Amino acid sequence: MDTPPGRSRTVIRNCNLFNGIDDRKVVGADVVFSGTTISAVSTSPVAQQAGDTVIDAGGRFLMPGMSDAHVHLMGNANSYMDFIMGPTGGLYINTLAEAKSMLHRGFTTVRDMGGDLAAVKTAIDRGQFEGPRIFPSQAMISQTSGHADFAFVYQTPQAFGGGPSRTEEIGFTRVADGAAKVLTAVREQLRKGATQIKLTVGGGAASMYDPLNTLQYTTDEIRAAVEAAADYGTYVATHVYTVEGIRRAIDAGVRSIEHGHLADEDTVALIAEKDIWLSMQPFAEHDHSYPDPGRAAKNVQICNGTDAVYGWARKHGVKTAWGTDLLLEPASAPKQSEMAARLGEFYTNVDALKMLTSGNAELFGMAGPRNPYAAHQLGTIAEGAWADMLLFDGDPIADLSIIGRPDEQLKVIVKNGVVVKNDL
């Protein structure tokens, strides 16, 4: 446990440790980190060295940094009017501000499922701004009239000589019709630094043109995206809710179903059989606000499916990830913490905490050679893992609502070996 000359180390002493993997916490542990990684985890007191920084946890609860498998950092930070009327620079300033807020809620890693985040990710990784580690998908890829087609109804599609929508101009979305253009769109996102690809293959609540029951993209189009992503060693994740859409995505080789709230039990069992990820969100009606009756009705239908699909996922042993998918309502961004705690309505507290840490990290690892953080483990507190940790005042294994109140309960945040917050 000796530290190389010239490198200081930090000791978190006397914590109740949940390592993100085991069911039980370890009482009275010491954790040592030096540089960006954890150098030791000990069940007995670590001998102090000259130059050590010591954080006395006083028996508080230490866990890995939390993660969110379905965020839209740019979409979370900006309203619809910001997107269509605001200056481009303002979109990125708001995104960086939200990235800092997200880290201070305890989310040290996120998978971004739509937005031009590669440059934001790089700036955060360099330490120029505070924020979580980001697995960017870059632009959401959609067919014309699909979930990520944000063009106005009177605009001529590009295939007929029209220009790109505002969200395409800024890299938030990409509309591509036909297998050849889907290939180009996927390769474009990979060129821009995408770690995985996001395809929208069904209707959604936030979108204006597509009823939930619509099937979007043919099997050949989806398969083209899957093949292009596989050539880069990564995978395709698809926005989709319905049985027919999920089954089409599975047939085409998709590896992660995003949402799936309108699935039936046979389809959930198929997801388990095919060893595919289900990236779910514990939606409640009040998470989103839709002023028009059509989108509000779609939101209700989606939320009503949440309980059943979680139950079938548990029953069939589906690999389930957790995310939020908050979008276009910046004032709702803090609900991320509330939604994390809400996971306890569907899983035991320990299983919820695992999903928020090592579980999501396993999904992120499917990016393979595109994984920018593969040098060390994410989502766990272990020797050699990334030094991403949270110290809570209270025990989330006993009361998961604690993680829903980060301003009150979250006392220390460590990300990449840097103590971002210390309120002890």
Side-chain angles (χ1 to χ4, degrees), residues 241-392:
Y241 288 104
T242 64
V243 168
E244 295 82 1
I246 293 169
R247 287 177 176 268
R248 179 178 288 187
I250 291 172
D251 287 344
V254 164
R255 300 304 304 161
S256 179
I257 300 298
E258 305 298 312
H259 315 313
H261 293 68
L262 303 182
D264 59 18
E265 183 172 0
D266 287 345
T267 302
V268 174
L270 180 65
I271 292 172
E273 177 188 332
K274 298 293 186 180
D275 198 32
I276 292 167
W277 280 88
L278 178 63
S279 175
M280 275 278 285
Q281 301 77 38
F283 285 144
E285 288 182 37
H286 67 270
D287 291 332
H288 300 89
S289 175
Y290 297 112
D292 60 288
R295 284 188 287 173
K298 290 194 287 185
N299 182 52
V300 171
Q301 188 178 351
I302 291 166
C303 293
N304 286 344
T306 302
D307 188 70
V309 173
Y310 268 131
W312 294 325
R314 291 195 309 270
K315 176 180 176 180
H316 294 283
V318 174
K319 294 189 300 187
T320 307
W322 172 89
T324 48
D325 193 33
L326 297 168
L327 186 65
L328 302 178
E329 298 178 59
S332 295
K335 289 182 180 178
Q336 183 181 36
S337 300
E338 174 191 329
M339 291 177 72
R342 194 186 302 156
L343 195 56
E345 297 177 14
F346 308 97
Y347 291 87
T348 68
N349 292 351
V350 167
D351 285 344
L353 291 170
K354 286 181 180 180
M355 195 181 298
L356 289 161
T357 54
S358 62
N360 277 356
E362 185 181 348
L363 169 59
F364 302 159
M366 284 210 310
R370 303 280 73 77
N371 179 355
Y373 310 114
H376 306 287
Q377 280 184 287
L378 285 169
T380 187
I381 296 177
E383 186 174 338
W386 290 111
D388 299 345
M389 292 172 281
L390 311 175
L391 189 69
F392 281 98

